[in-house]
Amino acid sequence: MMHISSILLFIMYFAALVAVSWCFTDMETGPGAALFSPPNGGDRFKIEGRAIVPGLKTQDWVSSARVLVEGEEYVGFLRTDGSFTVNDVPSGSYVVEIVSPTFRFEPVRVDITSKGKMRARLVNYIKTSEVIRQPYPLQIRASGPHSYFMKRETWGWTDFLMNPMVMMMVLPLLIIVLLPKVVNTNDPEMRKEMEQSMNMLSPNPELPDVSELMTKLFSGSKGSSKTSSSSSSSKGPRPAVKRR
Amino acid sequence: MAKLIFLWLKCLVSCCIVEAVFEDQVGKFDWRQQYVGKIRFSHFDSHVQSSKKVLMATEKNVFAALNTRTGELFWRHVDKTGPEGNIDAFLLHGQDALLVVGNGRLLRSWDISVGGLNWEVVLDSGSFQSACLIGQQDTVKHVAVLKKTVISVHYLSNGHQKWIENLPESENIDYQALYSGGNGEVYVLGIVPHSHIAIVVYSMEDGEIIKQTSVEAPWLSNIQTSCAVVGQGMITCVDSLTMSLYTLDMHTQSKMTQIPLQSLGLEVTPHFHPVLVSHQPNAAHQPLSEFLLQLGPEHHLLLQLNSGQMVVLRDFKPVRHMTPVLTSCVFVSESEHNLQIDILLKGLLHLSLFNAETGRRLLDTTQFLSIDPNVGKPESIYVQAFLKKDDSVSYRVLVQTEDHTLTFIHLPGRVMWTREEALSEVVTMEMVELPLTGTQAELEGEFGKKADGLLSMVLKRLSSQLILLQAWVSHLWKLFYDARKPRSQVKNEISIENLSRDEFNLQKMMVMVTASGKLFGIDSKTGSILWKQYLNNVPSNAAFKLMVQRTTAHFPHPPQCTLLIKDKDTGLATLHVFNPIFGKKSHITPPALTQPILQSLMLPLMDQDYAKVLLLIDDQYKVTAFPSSKNVLQQLQETDLTTTQIWEVIIPTEIQKVVTVKGKRSNEHVHSQGRVMGDRSVLYKYLNPNLLAVVTESTDVHQERSFIGILLIDGVTGRIIHEAVQRKAKGPVHVVHSENWVVYEYWSTKSRRNEFSVIELYEGMELYNSTVFSSLDRPHAPHVLQQSYIFPSAISAMEATLTEKGITSRHLLIGLPSGGILSLPKMFLDPRRPEIVSEQSREENLIPYAPELLIRTEWFINYNQSVSRVRGIHTAPSGLESTCLVVAYGLDIYQTRVYPSKQFDVLKDDYDYMLISSVLFALFFATMISKRLAEVKLLNRAWR
């Protein structure tokens, strides 16, 4: 869960970074603010659309939802069939969003020319002049319920066992306990081989005791322990094969 | 490299993500209260017999349905603030509620059962006059709206316009009223003041004018206040000058008939404008022939007009000498022709039903109800009458009093619920610590006193431990005792008597000041109102400032709060001194303030009773100190307090105006002097306690030329530390000023988006004088860093978290118009966020710069508990360093706790006691067993 969200966030960061570079390259052209006249006492228009929550009756959610245009500058309400109209909006460019405490709706930017021509596009705060068309009259579909809560960290055996610290503790333990049993130390051939490998591992030939070697390995540096574990694991199956 | 960044981002995210609320924490330490405001129009839902709804349109532009059993909201629709969302009229027909909104701009129809909109239509411009339902042949299918110059009729089913007509001679005639008697005709009544009444009759079918008459009425100036339509289309008017009633049959007559009040044996109270009230129970039928006439503030009459004959049915005159005061009379019920009277009798509400046709009082309908004399007079009453199973009449009453309290009363004088609608308009608030209990105080006292010998200290220690043990045992006993009782009976009733500070000082008293002049003391843990105080001499346009002069820490002196109430027009102010725990007015007499007050400030100085000194500067620049004992004057080293100008910074008013001046909060502590950089050097913060942030807005509002400016001024020397100007930007600006940073938010007109900007001040790598800060001795100007970000939403309020010692990292709490309260970590607003990630910035845990700040719903501290129209957010430290108490107020009130750096000083509430104890036991047994095994092995080896 945490990983997914972090990946998502990373993607968003990346997108933002990319976008910022776009923004800087885009600077010369400038955003299209001059396209729309400031709100004046002129004509008033209406923004129309419909909000859809898939798989839910409209009665269940419309009474708690509102349509906000540019913050709370213009307010609209949802009809019992999910459609809405925000009346009395002068020409300009507005971000229209449907706010509901339970469902998430993506905001849409609506541009109204001074003649009343409408167009809807995706909201992009960084590249404000970018136009990715959206249907008008607006069709806003809920993208699921809001996630307000975090999951509690529950404790389970698998989590415990998969913990890297535990793995690091358990694996050597297994090696210590199981290795002497798997390897038949009474077999003279085997013993010979082992001694050989030991000698290969450590240039000092005056260390024939297995247990002493092990303690040395585990108290020693990490790198040497790694090699020992790899060597022992590679060694492990071979005698088993031989025994068969 | 990319992998490294990714890893590091991951760990960063994982440390940021913890701000969210866990699902099982819902309602554990947070609560929300929803309000609607003062009622303007209200109707009971009589569509269904068993309906529990009461609908109300309020002065806060809210339309809501309340449950009459509990007083809770079914649904609520919050419109725009200001005149554009103003509700002008509210008509209820069956399941449809019709609202005229924004001075007749919009006509809306709501479905009251689900709370959804049926339709909304835009009406023609022109100021709204009146609206009424039009019936025809026992059905109501249309609604008519009268404007200054036009009348329009709409279908109830879909809002489509049936017809619209211009009113004749609308430039001379002031059309004011609408009437429809249910016969397919619409009457429009207009007036030329002191000349004549104009009556225009329209046909409902096509809007054709059927008849147009004008009637002489030289005494009349306003139809709405002095006329009413009674019975079969009889206009009845009352005039106080000629002391007469006038009647006119709209169908036949063309001249008004005068009936002198004296002929009925009546008299108007001098200087009182008489009021007529008629009642039309159903738009498809004619109004009743009975009507109410109010001749004096306490004198109401029930009259009947029958074929030109005026009959007094009942005179509701104060009978017993002067004691009962009749405050209001209303018509209720459609079928029973009843009438409701309420009489205020020295704090006792007296209600009864009368039959309108006979004027007789109905049996068993009188109720007495004692109301708090503190709440003011009843302002309006709304009655729901109904027939009981045995056909007797019963009723419920909704009473709104002057202090905006709603009380719902059931017949035998039983209060079903009350709502404190004054809390919909909280102006300012403070959080005051609760006092210690006797035992707690004794325990605390042990540490405060000087040591007087080893033995006595030991004895004291023992005795206090004994007290603790005793308290614990009694607590256990109470738990045991409560456990035996059924769950429903166990109520942890919190009253003023058993209020005491809890272990971590998480429970506090919220002192709230509302615009109506009512003060509240609310328990922060549960949200229950512990005390309320209505100040009835507060002017309507008052500005309030609440100050805590003495906290609860100075036992036996009681805590003390002072409320400065200032009339915005005259500038005259009064002080209300009270105890914040009990709400009682203090016996200390505040100084009388005869001059308009310009400014007030609290000094950190205390008098001998540990009350902080409040200074008030009047328009003569004279200073009044409160308390002004000798001790205080001595400390101030002056006997005659005056002011002298030390510095001035001129901000040209023709270009820009000062919007906000923000200092730092006086109870703020900063315990980190600097920031450790990546190379292990320290960047010291510029922590000037006298720094003021001054925000200006340009007077030119053109989007190309408007700008906002921010000045950082040292309050002692007047030195401008920093100045920043944001071009092509406009307000409203929200500012937070704390520690060494200022965060402000504005609207960028160029890119049409909200932007955040952060300014941080640093002294540099060396601290000039680390022991004490003096504004007069700082030769080096601080380094200023600034960065801006895009914020994808508008903002209604902003505040920073505050903790006891200032160690915990800071968050910004942002109230959004959508109703969420976002807790944004300050580390996202850090001007040192690098554009290119380097080894050092990674070491410092800086997030790489991204232009857009994200709004994540996990960061909403109020999850789905939306708070409407947040006006302010109040933060207060608790006894735990990790915890900050937050109250957001606006139309609603929401209280919660936030943990900006997680709960590092207490065990988390999901702490797994089972796991830790089972691990401990397992380890214990494992050692036991292995010990045994080792013994056996040793023994075996010994034998070998």
Side-chain angles (χ1 to χ4, degrees):
Chain A
M1 172 62 210
M2 201 174 269
H3 289 255
I4 291 167
S5 67
S6 64
I7 289 164
L8 266 178
L9 199 83
F10 174 70
I11 290 166
M12 274 185 240
Y13 272 132
F14 182 70
L17 277 171
V18 169
V20 103
S21 60
W22 279 345
C23 187
F24 285 124
T25 53
D26 195 47
M27 246 4 182
E28 297 85 48
T29 55
L35 229 150
F36 307 102
S37 60
N40 48 23
D43 289 341
R44 296 286 180 121
F45 307 99
K46 61 183 176 186
I47 299 170
E48 286 176 310
R50 176 186 287 273
I52 304 146
V53 178
L56 208 70
K57 275 190 205 156
T58 46
Q59 287 101 304
D60 300 341
W61 62 274
V62 283
S63 67
S64 60
R66 282 204 296 172
V67 185
L68 298 185
V69 179
E70 212 63 72
E72 233 170 353
E73 208 150 324
Y74 304 96
V75 176
F77 298 100
L78 289 147
R79 290 195 201 103
T80 39
D81 60 349
S83 62
F84 62 87
T85 312
V86 185
N87 286 303
D88 260 357
V89 182
S91 60
S93 174
Y94 305 96
V95 174
V96 179
E97 55 186 328
I98 293 169
V99 293
S100 156
T102 33
F103 297 101
R104 188 174 60 232
F105 296 90
E106 292 301 319
V108 178
R109 185 176 280 280
V110 173
D111 302 325
I112 310 170
T113 61
S114 53
K115 284 184 185 129
K117 268 187 106 178
M118 313 282 257
R119 92 176 161 188
R121 55 188 170 111
L122 276 186
V123 177
N124 190 339
Y125 284 110
I126 296 163
K127 227 176 130 192
T128 49
S129 56
E130 187 193 49
V131 179
I132 300 170
R133 283 281 193 143
Q134 293 286 98
Y136 188 88
L138 304 171
Q139 292 285 331
I140 305 176
R141 193 173 277 274
S143 52
H146 281 302
S147 60
Y148 291 114
F149 302 111
M150 238 181 90
K151 264 217 176 125
R152 281 264 187 221
E153 283 171 42
T154 47
W155 195 84
W157 283 105
T158 46
D159 295 356
F160 179 72
L161 288 179
M162 286 325 212
N163 192 327
M165 291 301 279
V166 175
M167 296 265 263
M168 255 159 75
M169 270 167 64
V170 168
L171 269 181
L173 208 80
L174 282 178
I175 291 162
I176 293 169
V177 176
L178 294 181
L179 206 65
K181 303 218 166 160
V182 171
V183 182
N184 192 356
T185 40
N186 290 336
D187 187 7
E189 216 177 300
M190 183 68 223
R191 193 172 272 194
K192 211 175 182 184
E193 204 171 306
M194 240 162 111
E195 256 165 36
Q196 250 177 22
S197 69
M198 298 258 163
N199 288 341
M200 251 168 64
L201 213 82
S202 57
N204 195 355
E206 275 116 64
L207 281 170
D209 193 2
V210 179
S211 62
E212 222 170 297
L213 182 83
M214 282 297 177
T215 50
K216 193 196 168 193
L217 283 175
F218 282 108
S219 61
S221 66
K222 216 177 168 186
S224 64
S225 78
K226 250 185 200 167
T227 53
S228 83
S229 64
S230 66
S231 68
S232 61
S233 62
S234 65
K235 278 266 152 82
R238 224 188 321 164
V241 169
K242 270 208 168 168
R243 229 165 60 169
R244 227 180 270 163
Chain B
M1 183 67 190
K3 213 172 184 177
L4 255 173
I5 296 175
F6 179 73
L7 251 171
W8 169 74
L9 270 174
K10 209 159 78 178
C11 86
L12 188 117
V13 165
S14 61
C15 73
C16 292
I17 205 166
V18 259
E19 317 313 335
V21 185
F22 293 109
E23 195 154 6
D24 52 73
Q25 284 180 325
V26 165
K28 221 171 180 178
F29 44 74
D30 64 321
W31 49 263
R32 176 179 67 161
Q33 288 170 357
Q34 290 185 302
Y35 294 97
V36 292
K38 189 189 176 193
I39 294 180
R40 183 174 284 166
F41 309 105
S42 177
H43 288 292
F44 284 91
D45 174 21
S46 52
H47 176 63
V48 198
Q49 194 65 45
S50 60
S51 174
K52 299 183 288 185
K53 281 197 186 86
V54 55
L55 299 150
M56 39 189 70
T58 71
E59 309 214 318
K60 309 279 291 180
N61 305 350
V62 173
F63 181 53
L66 254 63
N67 188 334
T68 53
R69 306 273 154 84
T70 59
E72 275 155 22
L73 285 173
F74 276 121
W75 45 260
R76 179 182 71 173
H77 290 288
V78 183
D79 206 346
K80 269 176 82 168
T81 48
E84 281 171 77
N86 197 37
I87 298 168
D88 301 316
F90 172 25
L91 305 167
L92 183 67
H93 176 253
Q95 214 177 318
D96 301 332
L98 291 158
L99 294 185
V100 180
V101 179
N103 199 10
R105 186 69 188 154
L106 297 168
L107 181 64
R108 279 194 192 123
S109 167
W110 294 95
D111 183 332
I112 59 170
S113 59
V114 294
L117 190 67
N118 287 325
W119 47 261
E120 175 183 292
V121 288
V122 185
L123 301 175
D124 266 29
S125 57
S127 73
F128 172 77
Q129 292 294 331
S130 176
C132 90
L133 294 167
I134 300 167
Q136 197 173 17
Q137 287 147 8
D138 288 351
T139 53
V140 181
K141 281 183 179 162
H142 303 93
V143 58
V145 179
L146 180 71
K147 298 265 194 123
K148 204 102 195 153
T149 55
V150 289
I151 174 171
S152 59
V153 171
H154 300 261
Y155 292 100
L156 276 183
S157 53
N158 53 15
H160 290 177
Q161 189 173 291
K162 190 178 169 92
W163 51 261
I164 181 163
E165 289 296 329
N166 280 319
L167 294 163
E169 291 178 71
S170 57
E171 59 272 21
N172 299 327
I173 303 169
D174 185 10
Y175 290 100
Q176 289 182 336
L178 265 177
Y179 162 74
S180 158
N183 53 357
E185 287 171 355
V186 186
Y187 290 79
V188 180
L189 309 181
I191 185 179
V192 178
H194 306 293
S195 168
H196 63 272
I197 302 176
I199 302 166
V200 188
V201 187
Y202 286 93
S203 158
M204 223 277 303
E205 287 307 318
D206 48 8
E208 220 173 282
I209 295 177
I210 296 172
K211 207 168 84 176
Q212 198 174 351
T213 50
S214 86
V215 181
E216 288 291 315
W219 39 268
L220 189 63
S221 60
N222 193 322
I223 291 181
Q224 269 165 339
T225 55
S226 38
C227 292
V229 181
V230 174
Q232 296 162 330
M234 300 283 280
I235 299 179
T236 311
C237 299
V238 62
D239 179 44
S240 54
L241 270 179
T242 54
M243 298 273 220
S244 307
L245 284 168
Y246 295 86
T247 59
L248 170 81
D249 191 334
M250 284 193 287
H251 306 294
T252 54
Q253 288 174 317
S254 59
K255 201 169 177 301
M256 291 198 121
T257 324
Q258 186 179 7
I259 306 168
L261 284 170
Q262 258 165 345
S263 70
L264 298 164
L266 301 172
E267 213 171 75
V268 181
T269 311
H271 311 295
F272 184 79
H273 188 89
V275 182
L276 271 176
V277 182
S278 70
H279 185 53
Q280 186 173 12
N282 189 337
H285 298 289
Q286 284 160 348
L288 301 183
S289 54
E290 292 82 19
F291 63 96
L292 284 169
L293 175 65
Q294 188 181 5
L295 290 176
E298 301 156 21
H299 190 189
H300 293 245
L301 290 150
L302 178 66
L303 295 146
Q304 191 178 40
L305 185 69
N306 236 340
S307 54
Q309 286 293 313
M310 195 74 76
V311 185
V312 179
L313 286 175
R314 188 158 187 132
D315 191 346
F316 300 109
K317 211 175 177 174
V319 199
R320 279 158 277 153
H321 35 247
M322 300 308 288
T323 37
V325 181
L326 189 68
T327 49
S328 54
C329 285
V330 290
F331 279 103
V332 297
S333 179
E334 296 169 17
S335 54
E336 289 296 309
H337 299 192
N338 294 316
L339 152 81
Q340 169 83 29
I341 308 293
D342 75 344
I343 295 165
L344 191 69
L345 172 78
K346 279 188 186 165
L348 199 70
L349 195 68
H350 177 158
L351 302 145
S352 34
L353 280 186
F354 292 82
N355 188 313
E357 275 175 353
T358 58
R360 266 191 227 117
R361 188 198 307 237
L362 296 176
L363 279 177
D364 298 330
T365 56
T366 304
Q367 55 179 324
F368 297 94
L369 185 79
S370 65
I371 55 167
D372 190 1
N374 196 2
V375 301
K377 282 196 208 109
E379 258 188 355
S380 50
I381 61 172
Y382 305 92
V383 188
Q384 181 189 30
F386 56 91
L387 286 177
K388 285 199 286 199
K389 276 173 193 157
D390 56 348
D391 268 5
S392 61
V393 181
S394 182
Y395 63 100
R396 304 189 188 103
V397 192
L398 184 63
V399 183
Q400 177 166 266
T401 42
E402 270 179 337
D403 62 340
H404 303 186
T405 305
L406 289 179
T407 315
F408 194 69
I409 304 159
H410 201 286
L411 181 57
R414 191 158 55 95
V415 175
M416 306 265 281
W417 46 264
T418 51
R419 284 177 70 91
E420 295 291 349
E421 289 302 336
L423 284 172
S424 67
E425 220 172 340
V426 175
V427 183
T428 174
M429 66 167 293
E430 279 292 340
M431 282 183 123
V432 184
E433 287 173 11
L434 293 174
L436 296 166
T437 56
T439 28
Q440 280 173 330
E442 210 159 297
L443 289 180
E444 290 280 320
E446 188 193 334
F447 301 106
K449 275 175 212 152
K450 277 266 155 60
D452 42 13
L454 191 69
L455 196 70
S456 64
M457 287 264 285
V458 169
L459 281 178
K460 219 180 265 173
R461 178 82 267 194
L462 283 176
S463 69
S464 58
Q465 293 289 3
L466 211 69
I467 292 169
L468 273 181
L469 188 73
Q470 207 180 338
W472 188 63
V473 167
S474 68
H475 173 74
L476 278 186
W477 172 246
K478 195 171 169 283
L479 272 183
F480 176 69
Y481 193 74
D482 281 349
R484 282 164 45 195
K485 280 198 260 179
R487 182 68 66 85
S488 58
Q489 280 182 20
V490 183
K491 255 192 218 161
N492 268 333
E493 281 277 319
I494 291 168
S495 65
I496 286 177
E497 284 71 42
N498 61 19
L499 267 188
S500 65
R501 198 180 298 183
D502 60 335
E503 245 175 320
F504 297 125
N505 205 357
L506 291 165
Q507 189 177 9
K508 293 199 179 195
M509 178 68 85
M510 292 158 53
V511 181
M512 298 193 125
V513 181
T514 64
S516 65
K518 196 167 184 181
L519 310 183
F520 291 90
I522 300 175
D523 172 33
S524 75
K525 198 173 177 184
T526 58
S528 52
I529 296 167
L530 297 177
W531 57 263
K532 44 200 168 189
Q533 180 90 37
Y534 179 54
L535 310 175
N536 39 16
N537 51 357
V538 172
S540 57
N541 57 346
F544 298 91
K545 190 175 177 184
L546 182 65
M547 289 150 288
V548 183
Q549 278 198 298
R550 183 164 55 217
T551 60
T552 39
H554 306 286
F555 190 78
H557 298 289
Q560 183 182 325
C561 273
T562 302
L563 179 67
L564 178 72
I565 306 158
K566 182 176 151 184
D567 190 317
K568 268 185 198 158
D569 294 338
T570 61
L572 288 172
T574 50
L575 289 173
H576 176 71
V577 186
F578 63 100
N579 181 329
I581 304 298
F582 302 105
K584 285 192 196 100
K585 196 173 175 180
S586 170
H587 59 270
I588 300 165
T589 41
L593 307 165
T594 47
Q595 293 289 332
I597 297 296
L598 295 181
Q599 210 171 3
S600 70
L601 72 154
M602 280 274 270
L603 295 184
L605 294 179
M606 287 189 199
D607 75 342
Q608 72 275 19
D609 293 338
Y610 305 101
K612 278 185 188 165
V613 179
L614 173 68
L615 294 185
L616 299 157
I617 302 165
D618 63 21
D619 64 343
Q620 308 290 312
Y621 298 101
K622 285 268 180 215
V623 180
T624 315
F626 170 68
S628 59
S629 59
K630 248 190 197 144
N631 183 299
V632 172
L633 296 178
Q634 228 166 34
Q635 285 186 67
L636 294 169
Q637 293 173 340
E638 240 168 295
T639 46
D640 185 32
L641 294 167
T642 48
T643 53
T644 335
Q645 181 181 320
I646 294 174
W647 54 265
E648 80 180 325
V649 172
I650 295 165
I651 292 162
T653 47
E654 60 271 15
I655 302 166
Q656 53 191 346
K657 56 179 192 289
V658 175
V659 198
T660 335
V661 178
K662 266 263 167 102
K664 288 174 190 176
R665 288 179 65 166
S666 56
N667 54 347
E668 180 185 278
H669 299 279
V670 183
H671 271 257
S672 50
Q673 290 288 313
R675 288 179 61 162
V676 182
M677 313 274 283
D679 57 359
R680 298 287 179 271
S681 61
V682 176
L683 185 63
Y684 286 99
K685 292 175 182 171
Y686 179 77
L687 297 168
N688 184 349
N690 310 318
L691 197 67
L692 299 173
V694 181
V695 180
T696 61
E697 271 179 39
S698 62
T699 46
D700 191 346
V701 290
H702 188 270
Q703 65 165 5
E704 288 293 310
R705 292 185 297 270
S706 70
F707 66 89
I708 62 151
I710 185 149
L711 287 164
L712 300 181
I713 299 178
D714 188 301
V716 172
T717 57
R719 183 176 165 191
I720 297 175
I721 307 287
H722 182 65
E723 189 177 358
V725 171
Q726 225 79 36
R727 296 201 186 282
K728 292 180 186 174
K730 67 171 190 185
V733 184
H734 298 271
V735 202
V736 172
H737 183 191
S738 181
E739 281 185 53
N740 65 328
W741 47 266
V742 179
V743 170
Y744 57 101
E745 182 264 358
Y746 53 88
W747 171 258
S748 164
T749 52
K750 185 186 170 196
S751 316
R752 296 187 307 270
R753 62 193 179 199
N754 288 288
E755 288 180 7
F756 261 107
S757 197
V758 55
I759 297 176
E760 281 193 6
L761 302 168
Y762 289 98
E763 291 236 337
M765 293 304 176
E766 274 162 48
L767 209 54
Y768 175 71
N769 181 353
S770 59
T771 48
V772 66
F773 187 95
S774 168
S775 290
L776 300 168
D777 181 30
R778 282 279 139 165
H780 311 296
H783 303 288
V784 181
L785 301 172
Q786 184 161 15
Q787 218 168 49
S788 297
Y789 314 88
I790 303 163
F791 192 68
S793 171
I795 280 184
S796 357
M798 183 159 74
E799 189 55 82
T801 58
L802 190 69
T803 50
E804 180 86 11
K805 298 283 179 223
I807 301 164
T808 311
S809 61
R810 310 293 294 269
H811 277 202
L812 286 172
L813 300 168
I814 301 163
L816 305 175
S818 66
I821 297 166
L822 183 77
S823 176
L824 184 71
K826 169 70 178 57
M827 69 196 285
F828 282 99
L829 292 165
D830 183 348
R832 302 189 60 251
R833 281 174 72 175
E835 274 177 44
I836 301 147
V837 183
S838 69
E839 198 68 45
Q840 280 200 2
S841 66
R842 203 172 306 133
E843 192 89 346
E844 255 185 274
N845 250 345
L846 291 173
I847 310 163
Y849 181 75
E852 195 170 346
L853 297 170
L854 296 172
I855 295 180
R856 300 174 44 151
T857 45
E858 284 94 340
W859 290 346
F860 282 7
I861 56 170
N862 58 338
Y863 47 105
N864 66 355
Q865 307 280 297
S866 311
V867 188
S868 280
R869 289 195 198 141
V870 182
R871 197 180 308 114
I873 297 173
H874 184 89
T875 52
S878 72
L880 285 174
E881 170 56 29
S882 67
T883 312
C884 170
L885 304 176
V886 178
V887 181
Y889 54 88
L891 193 60
D892 306 333
I893 297 173
Y894 182 77
Q895 191 277 141
T896 190
R897 297 173 195 163
V898 290
Y899 313 100
S901 307
K902 293 196 269 178
Q903 283 177 286
F904 57 79
D905 46 7
V906 276
L907 285 182
K908 276 187 235 158
D909 49 1
D910 66 332
Y911 188 76
D912 205 335
Y913 292 95
M914 277 304 288
L915 179 70
I916 194 98
S917 44
S918 60
V919 164
L920 270 177
F921 275 111
L923 280 176
F924 178 71
F925 285 118
T927 44
M928 293 293 278
I929 292 162
S930 56
K931 194 184 171 191
R932 177 82 195 129
L933 286 176
E935 272 171 8
V936 169
K937 200 175 180 185
L938 272 179
L939 195 66
N940 285 345
R941 192 174 285 177
W943 275 106
R944 199 176 281 171

